[in-house]
Amino acid sequence: MDADVIVVGAGLAGLVAAHELTSRGRRVALVDQENAANLGGQAFWSFGGLFLVDSPEQRRLGIKDSLDLAWSDWQGSAGFDRVDDEDSWAVRWARAYVEFAAGEKRSWLEGHGIKFLPTVGWAERGDLRAHGHGNSVPRFHIAWGTGTGVVEPFVNHAKQAARDGLLTFYHRHQVDALVIEDGHARGVRGTVLAEDNSARGVRSNRDRLGDFELTAQAVVVTTGGIGANHDIVRRYWPERLGTPPGEMVTGVPAYVDGRMLDISAEAGVRLVNRDRMWHYTEGLQNWDPIWPGHGIRILPGPSSLWFDALGRRLPDPCLPGYDTLGTLKYLRTTEDIAGYDHSWFILTQKIIEKEFALSGSEQNPDITAKDRVGFLKTRVLGKGAPGPVDAFLRKGADFVTAPGLEELVEKMNALTDKPLLDAAEIRRQIEARDLQIANPYSKDAQVQGIRNARRYIGDKLGRVATPHRILDPEAGPLIGVKLHVLTRKTLGGIQTDLDSRALGVDGDPIEGLYAAGEVAGFGGGGVHGYNALEGTFLGGCLFSGRAAGRAAARQTG
Ligand SMILES: Cc1cc2nc3c(=O)[nH]c(=O)nc-3n(C[C@H](O)[C@H](O)[C@H](O)COP(=O)(O)OP(=O)(O)OC[C@H]3O[C@@H](n4cnc5c(N)ncnc54)[C@H](O)[C@@H]3O)c2cc1C
């Protein structure tokens, strides 16, 4: 045998599983199709937002959260409707995960040296129904170091285990088959890929050098989702979200190719909930791309006005930062706009300075470098938009600015094949909205939402601009942003039990086979159900990777 356990995929889930195994003395073969520079996978690029419930950070900010409230929110968002079948394990994973987030998660992360910003973000504010989708309270805790800081301790553990002779890295080894004999996972087969010294995140070659086979007592599959493979995204795009856009930007590196899902199915593994995915409607073309079609997601505060391709304001709950898939559904199923791939934000300089954050470790260099003083200077005390946001404003292909609305709309129209926007019609809608600003109450749901958000001190200080008229020249210039659909997360995948054991098509665990992280729908084959509360993906990798590592260690003990 080449190892006690083979872990396929050196992203966060695989690294956590490997750590659990090597810290119990098991020998691990860590196999990945990419080079050593890519250790950590997507988590390295991520923003490092983590879903925690009733944390000290929340309490300090006056947020009253509880396991009951979080569980109610999770169920409202997930909408599990296949509990006797595809959701049977997912729903159990969901409960266990929310308990983890309300309990041990924070101290376990702290034990690994991971600390959090004092402010807590309010992601997925929801669909405006108490029993529906969304976070009733802010729960998005950003780690110092962003995702780079979350994955770093586990990268260090793997390197130390390699030095101690417990872990062997197999970089540039692409798995093409799982070896399962007599219902027991025995190893993997695949292709040794040619050396590639590309920098992290850059698409690498797929030139073949030869074949390989590795054997072990157990195999853990942690190979991520499908986000970079638009063919697979389109193949499983659900009817309820209308038609997939003709053009999408890509929110993940090219190695998030989804191949291992079909390879697992060929080996008799049960895949579930493949029609559930989590793509964003606020994607930008990156002016400085790293991977093919590289898109960046705006994490918007609540004040930008959102218009469809024909220049009509989106109805609530399709408001910035409220309901990701509700908005995607609206854009892709409304008859006269579904043929267009874009929508628009119109906002002011005053809004962009306070409300635009960009997802990704490289877009938040102060937090990634754990530079607390720099963070305070730029984000709390500083004037102007943070540097990376300002760079998009100046260099991004999707941004236009103008002192007046008519000129802005002319520039927005120049970004599409045909001029689809009517400045007078947009003016009418913005003027109506601006009339709602004079009073501290309003009939406009978005204005109500802004005022509600500002009752939370974290939003008031750092995230939500003082309510103002969009057409107030003092708040300008005006900014138009063309928004694209950005592919990111896979919510379904390999069905697993609470020990992360992969199930076969008959619903029974396959001996010695485990799956964790995004390839397993972040636990159970779809812990999120239909909708995520955000910050739950990294946590899902940690939780399911940990379960897989512990169970595989018990099996091989
Ligand atoms: C820009 C960005 C921002 C994000 N922000 C957040 C956030 O703030 N909060 C949050 O919770 N989540 C966030 N996420 C999501 C989160 O980072 C990912 O869902 C998570 O890191 C996935 O980890 P994983 O270990 O399951 O898979 P991955 O990180 O995708 O790792 C899988 C690994 O498997 C390898 N592999 C695949 N197939 C094979 C094969 N056949 N053979 C060998 N190797 C293979 C790949 O090369 C890769 O290294 C973000 C993601 C991105 C890209």
Side-chain angles (χ1 to χ4, degrees), residues 115-309:
K115 294 200 163 51
F116 298 95
L117 267 62
T119 53
V120 182
W122 197 349
E124 288 297 296
R125 291 166 201 248
D127 66 8
L128 307 175
R129 296 174 306 147
H131 64 284
H133 167 56
N135 283 300
S136 301
V137 295
R139 297 195 174 104
F140 194 72
H141 296 65
I142 298 164
W144 281 114
T146 62
T148 307
V150 174
V151 78
E152 187 183 18
F154 301 100
V155 169
N156 292 340
H157 288 311
K159 288 181 176 168
Q160 185 58 47
R163 285 192 290 274
D164 295 342
L166 279 169
L167 182 145
T168 308
F169 288 109
Y170 291 85
H171 299 299
R172 302 294 290 156
H173 281 58
Q174 182 185 53
V175 171
D176 301 326
L178 296 172
V179 180
I180 297 178
E181 289 163 3
D182 306 325
H184 196 302
R186 308 277 178 205
V188 297
R189 285 195 201 101
T191 306
V192 182
L193 299 171
E195 195 177 314
D196 191 311
N197 295 319
S198 303
R200 185 191 279 276
V202 173
R203 176 159 60 186
S204 64
N205 75 58
R206 286 291 175 266
D207 301 343
R208 293 172 58 99
L209 280 188
D211 299 328
F212 76 94
E213 177 159 359
L214 292 170
T215 55
Q217 295 180 61
V219 176
V220 183
V221 179
T222 49
T223 46
I226 63 173
N229 190 331
H230 289 199
D231 289 341
I232 302 186
V233 169
R234 289 202 169 86
R235 195 187 315 152
Y236 291 100
W237 190 275
E239 229 179 278
R240 64 182 176 275
L241 293 180
T243 51
E247 300 275 337
M248 299 182 272
V249 292
T250 307
V252 294
Y255 54 71
V256 189
D257 59 19
R259 275 182 77 246
M260 262 322 270
L261 283 162
D262 284 341
I263 290 169
S264 302
E266 276 163 31
V269 174
R270 182 162 201 245
L271 304 186
V272 291
N273 299 316
R274 296 207 72 180
D275 60 324
R276 295 182 185 165
M277 23 184 117
W278 190 248
H279 306 308
Y280 295 104
T281 42
E282 317 94 336
L284 301 171
Q285 302 171 75
N286 192 349
W287 62 270
D288 189 15
I290 295 162
W291 54 77
H294 192 163
I296 297 290
R297 185 205 172 197
I298 305 167
L299 297 156
S303 304
S304 300
L305 294 192
W306 207 333
F307 293 88
D308 68 25

Side-chain angles (χ1 to χ4, degrees), residues 372-427:
R372 288 158 170 83
V373 177
F375 173 81
L376 207 66
K377 272 191 188 154
T378 41
R379 313 241 183 181
V380 186
L381 305 171
K383 291 219 174 347
V389 173
D390 191 55
F392 265 88
L393 191 53
R394 286 181 291 108
K395 304 181 197 173
D398 298 312
F399 286 75
V400 290
T401 58
L405 188 63
E406 282 64 29
E407 188 187 334
L408 185 83
V409 172
E410 200 178 315
K411 288 182 172 173
M412 289 163 72
N413 271 330
L415 295 186
T416 52
D417 295 342
K418 280 191 284 182
L420 299 170
L421 304 174
D422 174 5
E425 184 51 27
I426 291 181
R427 174 173 286 282

